[in-house]
Amino acid sequence: MKQKTVKTAGIVLAMLTMHVATYGQELASSLFDDVNRTLQAARNAQADVLSPKSFAAGMEAYNDAQKSYKNDGEISDIKEDIAEANAKFSQAIENTKVGSVLFSQALSARNDAMNAEAGQFSKNNWKEAEEEMKDAAGELEKGDSNDAKEQAKTATALYRKAELESIKANYLSNAKKLVEQADKNKVYKVAPKTFEEAKALIAKAEKELAENRYDTDGARYLAKEAEYKALLAMHIAKQEEILDDKDFEAEDYLLMMYEPITKIGEALDLNIRFDNGVDGPVAEIISSIKGDDNLIATLEAKLYNYQLHNENLTALLSEQRKIQEIMKGQLSDEALVAQKRQQALQARIDRAAEIDAKFDKIQHIFATDEAQVFRQQDDVIIRMIGVNFDISKSEIKQEDYALLTKLQQAVNTFDNATIVIEGHTDSQGGDDLNLELSQARADAVLSYMSANTTIDKSRFSTKGFGESKPVANNETAAGRRVNRRIDIVIKPTMMDTLVGLNTSGN
């Protein structure tokens, strides 16, 4: 009984605390909402810059009100401070109407300097400009517009100076440091053209800033290019030193240069050859990439159309159900059959959406170097690119155990689906031996999963295809490695939909 009483008291105390907090929030809102809006309006009008004295007086009264409220001061005193703050902020806003016109050039220069982060990169000029601007605004508040104009001119010049200095520091300082480092390393002896180009780009950027300071994009690009050229010159010098140390011949150097292009070709499933130089391979790679881009664009367009079609069907079915509810009990036999068809179609749409969601879930299970997950109509294919077999072998490697555990998680996403484990080989070796080897690889995966996971074996089957279904170029080592693979085909169990339905209702 005592525990129950204590618990009840705790609940009551919590409710009282919540009530007090709510009341406090409502009180603060009723007191400060108006003045907060006026304060925000003053800041939006840049009253802190254009009418600093009135704005400062308003902030002093506002802070006094806040302090009194936090210390449970008299409500009448708090309201008095709020009223004074409101009046001062309103006065400051009114003052900005004249100042925004009189100081338009100074304000524009100030905004440009702020965008260039002059407060960070040109602190002295920025600070001096701010002081001049404050004095100019103070003169205007006193009614002396002539002195205000003169000081605003000074502030404008200082803001522009701060902006230019900041841009140079921001965009060019790193490029200059890199050129100085390259010069110190004497890279001009090995890469004179690249080094001179870096210096010329810096000079061009400085000229661009001086002549067209309002468009900094060009100067920024030139500065970045100067950084790159300086780094490139140092890289060339380093490579030249390595080649000298290894005493490379022209043949060695060319073969080394071909290697990266070969890797790109293998990634695109191309059998790159350099017997006529690099122009052919480069053109082949570009053509392959453009072909893939076109295919992606086509698939994206089809996907969008399917999604749109699906949305339209869903909307149509929704409207049809409304009509059916209205006409309930008045439908003919033919209408009832149509209703069943609509219900079946909706079930099919819902099922497709469920498969889409589970497909997305499986995609997030694997890293890109572990498996490729894609669709073939309703089937979900998991291409286990991270599971690799040695040539002519079907044994599961120890380093693949963790990935096969992930596979179990993926296949269990579809509770009732049937799963086919497909084994594949590359083209080397006899057809019959490859067919037997691919079946052995599929069986090995199923055996491992049966022994080490909790799969329902009755849902699984295996099939070896030998070399008959390559997905990569068997003429390259990289392509053959990809073809020695395991594909997992998940076949979701689809519910009966339109099967057996016809216009007669039989």
Side-chain angles (χ1 to χ4, degrees):
M1 181 69 181
K2 183 178 179 181
Q3 289 180 344
K4 186 175 182 180
T5 303
V6 171
K7 185 177 181 181
T8 303
I11 294 172
V12 172
L13 180 60
M15 292 176 66
L16 286 172
T17 302
M18 290 174 62
H19 176 74
V20 170
T22 303
Y23 172 76
Q25 291 172 356
E26 292 175 352
L27 178 60
S29 177
S30 65
L31 288 172
F32 288 95
D33 271 3
D34 286 342
V35 71
N36 282 339
R37 282 192 288 269
T38 310
L39 171 57
Q40 188 58 50
R43 284 175 172 157
N44 291 342
Q46 293 185 282
D48 55 331
V49 177
L50 297 174
S51 184
K53 291 182 180 179
S54 296
F55 185 82
M59 285 304 303
E60 183 177 357
Y62 180 84
N63 290 332
D64 287 343
Q66 289 275 6
K67 186 176 179 181
S68 295
Y69 177 78
K70 289 179 181 178
N71 294 330
D72 297 325
E74 292 291 334
I75 295 295
S76 58
D77 292 339
I78 296 172
K79 287 184 176 180
E80 185 178 337
D81 286 334
I82 287 174
E84 182 180 354
N86 226 338
K88 292 296 183 182
F89 290 146
S90 298
Q91 181 184 339
I93 292 171
E94 190 65 27
N95 291 343
T96 63
K97 294 178 180 178
V98 177
S100 60
V101 176
L102 191 65
F103 300 145
S104 60
Q105 291 185 347
L107 289 173
S108 177
R110 184 176 187 270
N111 186 58
D112 289 340
M114 288 176 66
N115 289 337
E117 301 179 75
Q120 178 182 351
F121 293 102
S122 183
K123 293 180 181 179
N124 292 335
N125 285 323
W126 171 259
K127 184 177 180 180
E128 193 176 347
E130 287 284 84
E131 290 295 328
E132 288 290 337
M133 190 67 199
K134 183 178 179 181
D135 291 343
E139 292 296 330
L140 185 61
E141 282 186 302
K142 291 190 296 184
D144 191 344
S145 60
N146 290 329
D147 284 351
K149 286 181 182 179
E150 291 302 316
Q151 287 188 289
K153 286 181 182 179
T154 305
T156 300
L158 287 167
Y159 282 133
R160 291 301 181 197
K161 185 177 179 181
E163 178 202 7
L164 185 59
E165 186 176 290
S166 179
I167 289 172
K168 287 182 177 180
N170 208 351
Y171 298 156
L172 290 173
S173 60
N174 191 51
K176 288 182 176 179
K177 287 178 182 177
L178 287 171
V179 168
E180 288 173 4
Q181 182 182 346
D183 188 37
K184 185 178 180 181
N185 294 343
K186 299 181 179 180
V187 301
Y188 51 81
K189 292 184 177 179
V190 179
K193 294 179 181 179
T194 308
F195 179 70
E196 288 300 322
E197 194 173 354
K199 292 198 297 182
L201 285 165
I202 290 176
K204 192 174 180 180
E206 289 181 323
K207 183 180 179 182
E208 184 78 13
L209 287 173
E211 295 178 353
N212 193 12
R213 69 171 63 184
Y214 301 109
D215 182 10
T216 57
D217 288 342
R220 186 188 301 111
Y221 169 77
L222 291 169
K224 290 296 182 183
E225 280 296 294
E227 289 181 12
Y228 166 67
K229 293 297 182 180
L231 288 169
L232 179 60
M234 287 188 279
H235 175 73
I236 291 172
K238 187 175 181 180
Q239 293 302 309
E240 196 269 347
E241 185 178 342
I242 293 172
L243 293 175
D244 276 351
D245 289 343
K246 292 186 176 181
D247 194 24
F248 268 29
E249 299 291 338
E251 179 185 10
D252 299 319
Y253 179 75
L254 286 173
L255 290 173
M256 184 175 67
M257 292 299 99
Y258 292 156
E259 190 174 337
I261 303 177
T262 301
K263 289 181 178 179
I264 295 171
E266 288 180 345
L268 294 172
D269 200 25
L270 300 174
N271 188 19
I272 297 296
R273 292 290 182 264
F274 298 95
D275 46 312
N276 288 315
V278 297
D279 290 344
V282 169
E284 196 175 353
I285 288 171
I286 292 172
S287 177
S288 177
I289 292 172
K290 287 182 177 179
D292 288 343
D293 288 343
N294 291 335
L295 177 60
I296 290 170
T298 301
L299 291 174
E300 286 177 345
K302 286 184 178 180
L303 176 60
Y304 173 78
N305 288 333
Y306 288 144
Q307 289 173 337
L308 188 62
H309 182 61
N310 188 36
E311 289 172 5
N312 290 336
L313 285 175
T314 303
L316 175 62
L317 287 169
S318 177
E319 292 301 318
Q320 292 287 353
R321 281 198 298 270
K322 291 178 185 177
I323 295 172
Q324 291 163 10
E325 286 298 320
I326 295 171
M327 298 179 64
K328 200 169 185 179
Q330 305 175 30
L331 297 176
S332 65
D333 290 343
E334 186 176 348
L336 287 171
V337 171
Q339 183 181 25
K340 289 180 181 179
R341 288 181 175 278
Q342 289 165 359
Q343 290 170 348
L345 179 58
Q346 182 63 59
R348 199 172 186 86
I349 291 172
D350 293 342
R351 181 58 174 162
E354 181 184 350
I355 293 174
D356 287 343
K358 290 183 176 181
F359 172 71
D360 290 340
K361 183 178 179 181
I362 290 178
Q363 280 191 312
H364 288 89
I365 292 175
F366 299 101
T368 55
D369 60 345
E370 292 178 334
Q372 294 174 346
V373 184
F374 53 95
R375 295 277 297 274
Q376 287 181 353
Q377 296 182 343
D378 292 328
D379 292 349
V380 176
I381 314 297
I382 305 174
R383 181 153 292 154
M384 304 298 295
I385 58 177
V387 176
N388 292 305
F389 294 93
D390 290 334
I391 297 172
S392 301
K393 301 292 184 182
S394 61
E395 288 78 15
I396 303 293
K397 298 179 181 178
Q398 186 174 352
E399 58 261 32
D400 295 332
Y401 292 171
L403 186 50
L404 290 175
T405 302
K406 282 189 176 184
L407 178 60
Q408 179 205 7
Q409 179 187 351
V411 297
N412 282 338
T413 302
F414 287 89
D415 300 331
N416 299 313
T418 58
I419 293 107
V420 180
I421 302 176
E422 296 183 351
H424 301 270
T425 70
D426 60 36
S427 61
Q428 293 186 346
D431 291 352
D432 292 341
L433 288 175
N434 282 338
L435 191 62
E436 183 180 339
L437 179 60
S438 65
Q439 183 65 52
R441 287 172 176 171
D443 291 340
V445 171
L446 180 57
S447 296
Y448 175 85
M449 293 181 68
S450 299
N452 295 279
T453 62
T454 57
I455 65 168
D456 179 3
K457 195 173 180 179
S458 64
R459 296 167 55 203
F460 288 77
S461 63
T462 60
K463 176 70 174 176
F465 289 91
E467 62 186 72
S468 64
K469 291 188 176 182
V471 294
N473 193 335
N474 272 310
E475 295 181 10
T476 67
R480 290 191 294 274
R481 184 170 60 253
V482 172
N483 286 332
R484 296 193 297 271
R485 72 190 190 279
I486 290 291
D487 286 349
I488 309 298
V489 183
I490 301 175
K491 296 179 175 293
T493 303
M494 299 295 292
M495 56 175 51
D496 291 338
T497 52
L498 301 177
V499 177
L501 291 176
N502 55 45
T503 55
S504 66
N506 294 329

